[in-house]
């Protein structure tokens, strides 16, 4: 055993035979040749191979190159379209952010963040959320506006509203997006107490059932509208016939008992001029150049008869009126005329020097406080254009007030008198020594 182990160790140290060396050289040559071939075809001399390609191989590579170019062009087109879609998405996101910002501002205007406390004396109650939201202020979605000079909008509300807490909260109690309560009496009560303008509401007014289209002009001027054009809930009368018949009632508090009877006393108004208190439209318009009296306002115009009559002379008149136990505004609109639901206390919603004529019959009188009346007269002067006419129709007062109060007041306002007539009030007020003034006054051409 020892001899065999010694022989094996000795054989490991013996040099390679000639045959083995030859095989090793062959393997080394093959490896070297392969390495040189790889280097030639992939290294800096690879152009030598390509330059020796056959024409058919060149055409194949050219086709592949053209195909690659086409794919690149298609990729560029796809990238352009994706870029366009990205821009559109960015604009959409911006719009959504603006809407989100507006919604956040709405939420931020709630009472806990913008507390507008409308309190009476010794009353610790505050306004409802809906009233606070309506009043604002509301932030502008794009920040400060140079045109407005602010970054927020304040909503209009009459100063007296701040004192009428309970009534105002009742008025602003409703289902958002639902039907508004039929609370015309409450609304007009607020307005007459000075809460004007009223805040806006987010509800829908009740619509008349079985509503029909109005009568076409000019027939609508002197025709009673259908009862289905009115929501009768707030009124003591429940039909137009009832309103027409009110002229036969004795006493009562209605100041316009016969003004719904369009075929009665209303039909003959302002047609004839008696040279005294009753002026005719022809004579009034004749005081100015033909066609220069075109637009105007009738203050407290009832059912709109003055506007209807002036329309027959191609003059457009807006009628201000309330709905005091009667659908006066609806009646004016049904006749094809323009109603304006405001009280005498509100500043006239016209710019200065714009109207040709302002008329008022029976509504302006000594029942108005002197200071309030003087402000109203100056406001009438303001909206009339130079040369415009103020037709004061049957202004009523006591004899003692005529020369002591009202004549000096009209002189202070600054009208020129074109016509001036004074007469006794020949009705149940005569025993109180009540007098009428009918006057046609002009704003000076300064």
């Amino acid at each position: 055993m020892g001899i065999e182990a010694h022989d094996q160790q000795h054989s490991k140290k013996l040099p390679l035979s000639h045959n083995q060396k030859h095989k090793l050289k062959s393997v080394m040559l093959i490896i070297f040749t392969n390495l040189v071939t790889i280097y030639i075809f992939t290294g800096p001399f690879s152009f030598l191979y390509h330059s020796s390609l056959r024409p058919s191989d060149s055409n194949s590579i050219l086709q592949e190159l053209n195909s690659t170019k086409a794919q690149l062009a298609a990729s560029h087109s796809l990238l352009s379209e994706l870029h366009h879609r990205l821009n559109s998405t960015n604009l959409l996101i911006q719009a959504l952010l603006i809407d989100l910002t507006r919604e956040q501002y709405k939420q931020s205007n709630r009472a806990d963040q913008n507390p507008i406390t409308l309190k009476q004396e010794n009353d610790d109650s505050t306004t409802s959320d809906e009233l606070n939201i309506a009043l604002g202020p509301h932030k502008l979605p794009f920040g400060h506006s140079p045109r407005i000079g602010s970054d927020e909008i304040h909503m209009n509300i009459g100063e007296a509203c701040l004192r009428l807490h309970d009534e105002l909260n009742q008025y602003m109690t409703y289902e958002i997006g639902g039907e508004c309560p039929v609370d015309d009496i409450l609304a007009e009560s607020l307005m007459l107490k000075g809460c004007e303008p009223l805040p806006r509401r987010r509800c829908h007014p009740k619509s008349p059932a079985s509503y029909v289209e109005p009568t076409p002009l000019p027939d609508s001027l002197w025709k009673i509208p259908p009862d289905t054009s009115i929501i009768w809930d707030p009124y003591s009368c429940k039909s137009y016939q009832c309103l027409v018949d009110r002229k036969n009632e004795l006493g009562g508090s209605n100041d316009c008992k016969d003004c719904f009877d369009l075929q009665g006393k209303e039909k003959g108004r302002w047609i004839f001029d008696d040279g005294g208190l009753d002026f005719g439209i022809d004579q009034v318009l004749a005081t100015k150049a033909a066609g220069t009296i075109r637009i105007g306002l009738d203050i407290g115009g009832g059912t709109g008869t003055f506007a209807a009559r002036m329309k027959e002379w191609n003059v457009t008149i807006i009628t201000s009126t309330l709905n005091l136990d009667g659908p006066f505004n609806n009646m004016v609109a049904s006749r094809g005329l323009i109603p304006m639901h405001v009280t005498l206390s509100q500043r006239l919603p016209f710019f200065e020097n714009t109207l040709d004529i302002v008329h008022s019959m029976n509504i302006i009188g000594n029942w108005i406080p002197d200071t309030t009346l003087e402000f109203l007269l100056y406001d009438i002067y303001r909206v009339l254009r130079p040369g415009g006419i103020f037709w004061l129709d049957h202004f009523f007062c006591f004899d003692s007030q005529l020369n002591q109060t009202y004549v000096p007041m009209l002189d202070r306002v600054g009208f020129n008198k074109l016509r001036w007539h004074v007469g006794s009030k020949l009705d149940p007020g005569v025993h109180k020594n009540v007098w009428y003034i009918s006057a046609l006054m002009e704003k000076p051409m300064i």
Side-chain angles (χ1 to χ4, degrees):
M1 291 293 296
I3 297 172
E4 291 177 358
H6 180 270
D7 292 339
Q8 289 177 0
Q9 291 177 3
H10 181 71
S11 62
K12 290 180 181 178
K13 296 179 182 179
L14 290 176
L16 296 174
S17 65
H18 177 76
N19 189 33
Q20 289 175 331
K21 288 182 180 180
H22 179 75
K23 289 181 179 179
L24 180 61
K25 288 181 180 180
S26 299
V27 171
M28 293 295 293
L29 180 61
I30 292 171
I31 293 173
F32 177 77
T33 304
N34 289 337
L35 288 175
V36 171
T37 303
I38 292 172
Y39 179 77
I40 290 173
F41 286 108
T42 60
F45 301 100
S46 59
F47 70 95
L48 296 174
Y49 168 78
H50 292 297
S51 62
S52 63
L53 292 176
R54 292 173 297 175
S56 59
D57 295 334
S58 299
N59 291 336
S60 176
I61 292 175
L62 183 60
Q63 289 176 359
E64 291 180 3
L65 180 60
N66 290 336
S67 176
T68 303
K69 288 182 177 179
Q71 291 176 2
L72 286 174
S75 299
H76 282 300
S77 177
L78 180 60
L79 286 173
S80 178
E81 182 180 354
L82 291 174
H83 183 70
H84 177 72
R85 291 183 180 180
L86 181 61
N87 288 337
S88 300
T89 303
N90 286 336
L91 292 175
L92 178 60
I93 291 173
Q94 290 176 9
L96 291 174
L97 287 174
I98 291 172
D99 289 341
L100 179 61
T101 302
R102 288 174 177 169
E103 186 64 27
Q104 288 174 341
Y105 281 137
K106 288 180 182 179
Q107 296 298 326
S108 67
N109 283 324
R110 292 193 174 274
D112 56 342
Q113 296 183 20
N114 290 290
I116 302 175
T117 304
L118 310 182
K119 297 183 179 180
Q120 296 175 331
E121 288 188 26
N122 303 321
D123 184 4
D124 59 356
S125 58
T126 58
T127 61
S128 65
D129 283 351
E130 183 67 5
L131 180 55
N132 275 299
I133 293 171
L135 298 181
H138 300 284
K139 292 290 185 181
L140 295 172
F142 299 108
H144 185 274
S145 169
R147 179 173 295 180
I148 298 176
S150 175
D151 64 347
E152 59 188 17
I153 291 178
H154 294 260
M155 309 306 290
N156 285 344
I157 183 172
E159 183 272 337
C161 295
L162 305 178
R163 301 192 301 272
L164 302 171
H165 176 269
D166 291 339
E167 295 95 326
L168 192 59
N169 265 335
Q170 181 182 347
Y171 178 74
M172 294 300 291
T173 300
Y174 51 85
E175 179 187 352
I176 298 175
E179 185 175 270
C180 300
V182 182
D183 52 4
D184 303 53
I185 296 174
L186 172 62
E188 297 216 348
S189 174
L190 284 165
M191 292 170 64
L192 289 169
K193 292 176 183 177
C195 184
E196 185 182 32
L198 290 169
R200 289 174 173 153
R201 301 199 289 187
R202 296 189 290 182
C203 56
H204 302 116
K206 184 178 179 181
S207 296
S210 304
Y211 183 82
V212 296
E213 291 291 319
T215 303
L217 283 167
D219 294 342
S220 62
L221 292 176
W222 301 103
K223 186 173 181 179
I224 298 294
D227 290 341
T228 54
S229 63
I230 301 298
I231 299 294
W232 293 100
D233 301 23
Y235 313 121
S236 57
C237 274
K238 305 302 180 184
S239 69
Y240 271 115
Q241 187 59 50
C242 173
L243 294 171
V244 171
D245 292 341
R246 281 204 305 207
K247 65 181 183 294
N248 301 319
E249 296 177 359
L250 297 176
S253 59
N254 294 307
D255 296 325
C256 194
K257 287 184 178 180
D258 57 1
C259 60
F260 284 94
D261 185 9
L262 301 185
Q263 299 305 314
K265 189 176 180 180
E266 291 288 283
K267 189 73 172 180
R269 292 191 186 277
W270 303 292
I271 294 178
F272 304 104
D273 193 312
D274 65 0
L277 294 172
D278 295 326
F279 297 173
I281 291 177
D282 273 332
Q283 288 70 27
V284 171
L285 296 182
T287 62
K288 308 300 293 185
T292 60
I293 302 297
R294 307 152 300 157
I295 56 173
L297 170 68
D298 187 21
I299 299 175
T303 58
T305 295
F306 179 78
R309 183 65 70 199
M310 291 291 278
K311 191 173 185 66
E312 296 174 339
W313 270 261
N314 295 319
V315 179
T316 300
I317 298 293
I318 295 174
T319 303
S320 75
T321 186
L322 293 174
N323 281 18
L324 297 175
D325 198 24
F328 291 90
N329 279 268
N330 306 78
M331 179 71 169
V332 173
S334 294
R335 298 176 76 175
L337 306 168
I338 305 171
M340 188 168 63
H341 188 226
V342 296
T343 70
L344 288 176
S345 301
Q346 182 168 322
R347 183 179 189 263
L348 298 175
F350 305 99
F351 198 67
E352 37 275 22
N353 304 309
T354 54
L355 300 184
D356 301 318
I357 186 169
V358 173
H359 172 268
S360 184
M361 180 177 182
N362 287 335
I363 193 67
I364 295 181
N366 66 352
W367 70 273
I368 304 174
D370 292 349
T371 302
T372 303
L373 177 60
E374 189 164 0
F375 273 104
L376 172 60
L377 293 174
Y378 270 99
D379 207 25
I380 292 170
Y381 186 99
R382 176 185 65 83
V383 300
L384 282 171
R385 63 167 175 81
I389 293 175
F390 175 33
W391 183 350
L392 185 61
D393 199 348
H394 288 77
F395 175 95
F396 50 89
C397 64
F398 295 123
D399 178 54
S400 60
Q401 298 173 305
L402 183 60
N403 292 314
Q404 292 180 9
T405 303
Y406 298 115
V407 171
M409 183 185 295
L410 289 166
D411 288 340
R412 284 197 302 273
V413 175
F415 290 110
N416 297 326
K417 295 185 180 70
L418 302 180
R419 289 182 66 174
W420 181 274
H421 295 275
V422 177
S424 179
K425 191 173 186 289
L426 301 177
D427 58 23
V430 67
H431 66 280
K432 298 180 181 179
N433 199 21
V434 175
W435 289 76
Y436 276 135
I437 302 173
S438 283
L440 201 61
M441 294 172 282
E442 179 189 55
K443 181 174 178 177
M445 299 278 291
I446 299 176

